[in-house]
């Protein structure tokens, strides 16, 4: 069930089920450390989001056994740390800013606080922005549609000053240390073999995109012209973008060369073969080195790790790539990517976007996605749409979910289920945390555990049963016995010195 977003006058009502004292301390001091003096337990169900629970006092026992001599259900092993977490985020888009712009000003400010202000909500710290038009732009555009402008003399980010940059600047005002990475959905059309922003015709029921049959580019073909002068010009395009954004006060820390490089779409897109990407990467790396921006290879959307291996088969391409970006069906390649490219961090670059219903069914799936990525070694996790209107449909006819829904008629913002699902992790797990090893003697693996840099433990557990479930968690020589509400997601945060 969606939750109406509060006004200033009813904030106390919203916080009532969470614990007014704890939330007041959290929001007034600006960080999760404000509640770190005592263990906390937050539980979310379909009808009762973000409910504060009482954490029982752990009971002493022989290491590995409860005080009654029984084996706990779950063991935490903080001495065996796994990957370091880079952060959590979401994606900036024109349609998200347009939706938020239709909200009542006070509610928009509160929503932005909940997204980006430390300690207020999601604590987003690592966000994605498109280079030019994404599928959630108002319409197609690039920063240089002047044919054969290889020197990028006509390059301009003027369009972004009306949509993307206002949203990014609002986020930076609340989170000055926000890190931002970027990728294009399509190069300028004059750099493409079909001279069109799309690669596939519109499907039935979707707006026409004007693509002719002879302009269709299929997966496994290069939609980018494979010539050095085009590679060099496109690398200059990336550099011009990073420099222009830097002058606007928005440093870009990472770029990825193409969103979903295997997908021919009716919206902005460009297919690349792995070998085509491999030819482009040295040019991109040279220009990004000059501006101090890293290159990750992504975003991979196929469950085939060989697509990455082939793209970085040459030493010239391999030395450029500092990390990998994976989304959608690419999650099926995570295990092999983590094993065979162990030196490269992996980011979950886009949570699957749902169908616009924003229902509890998909929220439960969203938790499973997050758990899958972290279980398989991902170091960062990005949500997709920040905010959409009540009719959450893209320019090119796709209905999708979002963290917030805005009613244009009333200006009211609604907080959706997936906001709370993401917050169960991002609200507690800080950048620099380490995922820690867990072990279950009875097959209970529906959980994630982290240790923050301050030494505190964070345990996120789902009870996917329709009835309450009791479990015992081993914390060294102590055992924490809890009963999880039916069909719930839970976060237990134990401060340093008590874990």
């Amino acid at each position: 069930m969606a939750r109406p977003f509060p006004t200033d006058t009813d904030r106390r009502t919203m916080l009532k089920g969470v614990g007014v004292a704890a939330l007041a301390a959290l929001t007034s001091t600006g960080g999760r450390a404000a509640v770190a003096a005592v263990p906390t337990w937050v539980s979310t169900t379909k009808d009762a989001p973000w409910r504060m629970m009482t954490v029982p006092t752990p009971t002493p026992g022989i290491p590995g056994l409860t005080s009654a001599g029984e084996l706990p259900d779950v063991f935490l092993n903080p001495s065996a740390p796994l990957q370091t977490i880079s952060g959590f985020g979401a994606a900036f888009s024109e349609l998200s800013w347009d939706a938020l712009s239709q909200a009542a000003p006070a509610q928009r400010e509160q929503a932005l606080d909940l997204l980006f202000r430390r300690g207020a909500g999601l604590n987003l710290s690592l966000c994605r922005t498109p280079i030019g038009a994404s599928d959630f732009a108002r319409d197609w555009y690039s920063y240089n549609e002047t044919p054969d402008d290889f020197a990028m003399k006509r390059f301009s980010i003027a369009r972004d000053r009306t949509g993307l940059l206002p949203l990014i600047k609002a986020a930076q005002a609340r989170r000055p240390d926000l890190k931002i990475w970027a990728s294009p959905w399509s190069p300028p059309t004059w750099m493409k073999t079909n001279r069109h922003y799309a690669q596939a015709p519109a499907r039935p029921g979707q707006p026409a995109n004007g693509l002719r049959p002879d302009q269709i580019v299929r997966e496994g073909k290069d939609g980018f012209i494979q010539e050095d002068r085009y590679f060099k010009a496109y690398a200059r395009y990336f550099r011009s973008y990073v420099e222009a954004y830097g002058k606007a006060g928005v440093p870009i820390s990472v770029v990825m060369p193409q969103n979903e490089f295997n997908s021919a779409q009716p919206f902005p897109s460009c297919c690349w073969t792995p070998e085509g990407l491999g030819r482009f990467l040295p040019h991109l790396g040279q220009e990004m080195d000059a501006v101090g921006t890293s290159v990750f290879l992504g975003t991979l959307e196929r469950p085939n790790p060989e697509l990455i291996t082939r793209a970085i088969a040459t030493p010239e391409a391999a030395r450029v790539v500092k990390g990998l970006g994976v989304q959608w069906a690419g999650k099926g390649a995570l295990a092999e990517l983590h094993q065979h490219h162990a030196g490269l961090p992996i980011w979950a670059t886009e949570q699957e976007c749902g169908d616009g219903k924003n229902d509890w069914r998909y929220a439960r799936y969203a938790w499973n996605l997050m758990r899958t990525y972290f279980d398989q070694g991902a170091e960062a996790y990005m949500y997709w749409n920040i905010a959409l209107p009540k009719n959450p449909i893209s320019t090119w006819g796709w209905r999708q979910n979002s963290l917030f829904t805005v009613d244009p008629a009333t200006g009211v913002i609604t907080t959706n289920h997936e906001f709370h699902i993401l917050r169960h992790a991002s609200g507690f797990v800080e950048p620099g945390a380490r995922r820690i090893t867990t072990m279950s003697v009875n097959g209970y693996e529906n959980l994630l555990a982290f240790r923050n840099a301050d030494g505190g433990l964070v345990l996120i557990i789902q009870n996917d049963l329709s009835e309450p479930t009791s479990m015992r968690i081993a914390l060294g020589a102590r055992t924490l016995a809890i009963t999880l509400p039916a069909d719930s997601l839970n976060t237990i945060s134990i401060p340093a010195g008590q874990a």
Side-chain angles (χ1 to χ4, degrees):
M1 184 173 77
R3 297 281 166 177
F5 197 81
T7 64
D8 287 329
T9 57
D10 64 13
R11 178 177 289 275
R12 287 184 178 274
T13 302
M14 180 191 76
L15 299 180
K16 185 176 181 181
V18 180
V20 173
L23 261 294
L26 185 65
T27 55
S28 65
T29 57
R32 59 173 292 278
V35 294
V38 295
T40 59
W41 174 8
V42 183
S43 184
T44 290
T45 63
K46 177 182 178 183
D47 297 316
W50 214 251
R51 186 160 55 108
M52 295 296 281
M53 311 284 282
T54 300
V55 182
T57 301
T59 58
I62 302 170
L65 298 176
T66 69
S67 57
E70 302 166 329
L71 281 173
D73 299 298
V74 174
F75 292 84
L76 304 185
N77 185 7
S79 64
L82 301 168
Q83 73 265 33
T84 300
I85 305 305
S86 300
F88 294 81
F92 298 117
S93 71
E94 289 185 328
L95 294 194
S96 281
W97 179 243
D98 289 348
L100 288 171
S101 297
Q102 293 176 312
Q107 293 209 356
R108 179 172 61 250
E109 293 303 303
Q110 289 179 22
L112 290 165
D113 283 347
L114 284 173
L115 290 166
F116 300 107
R117 195 174 297 284
R118 289 180 63 87
L122 293 184
N123 289 322
L124 299 185
S125 61
L126 175 63
C127 287
R128 177 181 191 177
T129 195
I131 299 177
S134 72
D135 51 323
F136 272 73
R138 298 165 186 147
D139 51 39
W140 159 250
Y141 73 99
S142 80
Y143 302 123
N144 190 347
E145 283 296 300
T146 303
D148 300 333
D149 184 12
F150 293 99
M152 291 295 124
K153 293 180 179 179
R154 301 296 298 273
F155 182 96
S156 173
I157 63 165
R159 165 70 174 261
D160 288 0
R161 300 187 189 280
T162 68
L164 290 173
L165 282 170
L167 180 52
I168 294 171
K169 298 298 267 184
Q172 287 180 311
R174 291 159 171 84
R175 181 95 188 207
D177 63 344
L178 180 71
K179 289 184 170 54
I180 299 170
W181 68 274
S183 68
W185 269 242
S186 173
T189 55
W190 57 273
M191 297 184 183
K192 299 175 72 176
T193 59
N194 70 348
R195 299 298 199 272
H196 197 284
Y197 68 78
Q199 303 275 263
R203 296 164 190 168
Q206 294 176 339
N209 61 14
L211 191 77
R212 303 188 309 266
D214 64 296
Q215 290 178 303
I216 294 172
V217 178
R218 304 189 186 281
E219 181 173 346
K221 302 293 183 180
D222 281 303
F224 188 91
I225 298 172
Q226 300 291 294
E227 296 179 15
D228 271 0
R229 60 176 180 158
Y230 286 92
F231 289 142
K232 291 176 181 177
Y234 197 29
R236 291 189 195 105
Y237 179 88
F238 274 79
R239 178 171 176 173
S240 297
Y241 167 79
V242 171
E243 289 177 334
Y245 261 59
K247 289 178 182 177
V250 180
I252 302 297
S253 61
V254 170
V255 297
M256 301 193 194
Q258 176 62 47
N259 177 71
E260 298 184 351
F261 60 87
N262 300 284
S263 294
Q265 300 283 13
F267 48 77
S269 52
C270 186
C271 291
W272 293 74
T273 65
E275 290 75 19
L277 280 175
R279 287 187 282 269
F280 174 55
L281 282 169
H283 299 281
L284 180 61
Q286 180 177 352
E287 295 293 349
M288 293 300 95
D289 285 347
V291 291
T293 297
S294 297
V295 176
F296 279 31
L297 181 52
T299 58
L300 177 67
E301 81 288 29
R302 296 286 183 263
N304 182 2
E306 286 300 311
L307 296 171
I308 297 294
T309 302
R310 287 163 52 194
I312 56 175
T314 68
E316 294 78 13
R319 71 168 59 100
V320 171
V321 175
K322 308 303 181 185
L324 305 175
V326 177
Q327 60 193 50
W328 287 83
K331 63 182 180 289
L334 282 168
E336 289 190 52
L337 290 176
H338 187 58
Q339 178 181 358
H340 296 300
H341 303 284
L344 297 177
I346 299 172
W347 290 359
T349 43
E350 179 185 318
Q351 179 177 295
E352 296 169 31
C353 56
D355 53 11
K357 295 178 181 177
N358 290 299
D359 56 12
W360 183 247
R361 168 195 60 86
Y362 206 85
R364 297 170 92 248
Y365 179 64
W367 156 250
N368 283 314
L369 281 174
M370 193 188 315
R371 181 169 59 85
T372 295
Y373 276 99
F374 284 121
D375 274 344
Q376 299 294 334
E379 298 184 9
Y381 190 86
M382 257 67 68
Y383 191 80
W384 180 227
N385 292 302
I386 286 174
L388 292 176
K390 284 187 72 174
N391 183 26
I393 191 166
S394 77
T395 305
W396 285 272
W398 297 84
R399 296 181 62 83
Q400 297 188 5
N401 290 357
S402 56
L403 297 170
F404 296 125
T405 294
V406 182
D407 185 342
T410 64
V412 171
I413 298 180
T414 298
T415 304
N416 294 322
H417 290 304
E418 288 168 62
F419 173 92
H420 300 291
I421 299 300
L422 181 60
R423 187 181 181 187
H424 270 278
S426 67
F428 293 90
V429 180
E430 298 282 351
R434 299 289 295 272
R435 189 168 76 88
I436 62 174
T437 304
T438 63
M439 185 185 73
S440 174
V441 297
N442 58 10
Y444 198 96
E445 298 179 347
N446 201 350
L447 74 165
L448 291 168
F450 303 86
R451 184 187 281 282
N452 281 315
D454 66 4
L457 286 180
V458 178
L459 181 62
I460 311 167
I461 319 171
Q462 184 193 35
N463 175 18
D464 57 3
L465 301 178
S466 60
E467 59 188 23
T469 297
S470 297
M471 65 184 309
R472 297 162 301 188
I473 304 164
L475 302 171
R478 299 180 301 157
T479 302
L480 180 65
I482 57 174
T483 299
L484 304 174
D487 192 13
S488 64
L489 187 63
N490 304 268
T491 298
I492 297 173
S493 177
I494 303 174
Q498 301 182 44

